[in-house]
Amino acid sequence: MTTMQVAVLRGIQELAIEERPVPEPGPGEVLVRITAVGVCGSDVHYYQHGRIGDFVVERPMVLGHESGGVIAGVGAGVDASRVGQRVSIEPGVPDLTCPECLAGRYNLCPDMRFFATPPYDGSLAEFVTVHAAFAHPVPDTISDDAAALLEPLSVGVWAARKARISAGSRVLITGAGPIGLVATQCARAFGATEIVVSDLNPHRLKLARDLGATATIDVGATPLADAGFEPDVLLECSGHPGATGDGIRALARAGRAVLVGMGDDLPLPLTHIQSREIELTGTFRYANTWPAAIALAESGRVDVDTLVTGHFALADSEAALLAPERDPLAVKSVIDPRR
Ligand SMILES: [Zn+2]
């Protein structure tokens, strides 16, 4: 096979299937035949708006960054016995040499090349090449979908680490989308004993309870302030300014707020943060999370397969992108480029 199909964002709300040459793995790289790609909110945002903050799509870009597949070829210097290995792709490859990389914070590398973040193409394609160390082998006991969804799971693992969730933690999670739902499961796996999830969508709140939330708050009916829960940790997964402010105001003294959802700049309750010595941090993707994500999925401590509400062929990528907006019961679309 010398050519392949890819799903390219050509302009705002303009997604096309194109034929492109199959890439050649360079030195230190592997060629991966993609078996599953999860649709992320960021893919949908680029599709709808052509940008996320300072990242602007200025020329056609292949979408997709939550992906798994099978190694189909190796570049120079890579063990050829890896051909045929099932892998989960960590979609951001840093330069590995800058001060941030050397400090172990490679997610903050200023030279990061991240799939489907302009100007780099993503993995909504039959084949991609990636640094061999960022194609993580996965056990045969986890599904192709799960291999792809180790990427959003990594976001949850990173959030739980940044929040220092441990045995007995009381955690509030605002937003029960795919990230809120993996964060819920990570909070449980990290030892939290009270996990309260808020959202407006009753179906997603039910899913949150199924996946480990000890209670849920329908903020359409009960404002957070009236819920009477004083958590140690806030994992803000909605990106909604109201939820962020309300979540921070709910925190106990010396509580920790971790902003995971992507939102616009917003006013913060600084008096509350100051007088209660609240710690506040953002998260930007993740670093060193794949081993934990693989172990959580393999052991069954976390279930990412349940999040998948629709399977799509590459030709139906647009429908896959729009499903979560159009259907309140949809959570996560997965595209199989082999179809
Ligand atoms: Zn770097």
Side-chain angles (χ1 to χ4, degrees), residues 95-96 98 101 109:
D95 63 14
L96 301 169
C98 75
C101 286
C109 175

Side-chain angles (χ1 to χ4, degrees), residues 94-102 106 108-112:
D95 63 14
L96 301 169
T97 58
C98 75
E100 297 302 332
C101 286
L102 295 182
Y106 66 81
L108 301 180
C109 175
D111 297 318
M112 177 74 86

Side-chain angles (χ1 to χ4, degrees), residues 37-51:
V37 184
V39 172
C40 172
S42 70
D43 296 312
V44 181
H45 207 274
Y46 281 126
Y47 171 81
Q48 297 286 21
H49 305 287
R51 66 183 301 152

Side-chain angles (χ1 to χ4, degrees), residues 134-204:
F134 288 73
H136 299 275
V138 295
D140 284 336
T141 49
I142 79 168
S143 67
D144 290 342
D145 288 355
L149 299 183
L150 294 181
E151 198 277 344
L153 177 54
S154 278
V155 175
V157 169
W158 188 242
R161 283 188 188 157
K162 291 287 275 190
R164 305 196 303 281
I165 294 175
S166 63
S169 290
R170 295 171 303 140
V171 179
L172 172 64
I173 295 168
T174 45
I179 294 298
L181 293 170
V182 293
T184 299
Q185 299 188 74
C186 288
R188 180 175 61 176
F190 276 63
T193 45
E194 280 184 72
I195 305 165
V196 177
V197 179
S198 68
D199 200 288
L200 287 162
N201 177 326
H203 173 71
R204 291 184 170 195

Side-chain angles (χ1 to χ4, degrees), residues 55 107-109 112 114 117 158 162 259 262 282-287:
F55 294 107
N107 58 317
L108 301 180
C109 175
M112 177 74 86
F114 199 93
T117 298
W158 188 242
K162 291 287 275 190
L259 307 184
M262 286 186 289
T283 52
F284 189 62
R285 300 169 181 154
Y286 35 68

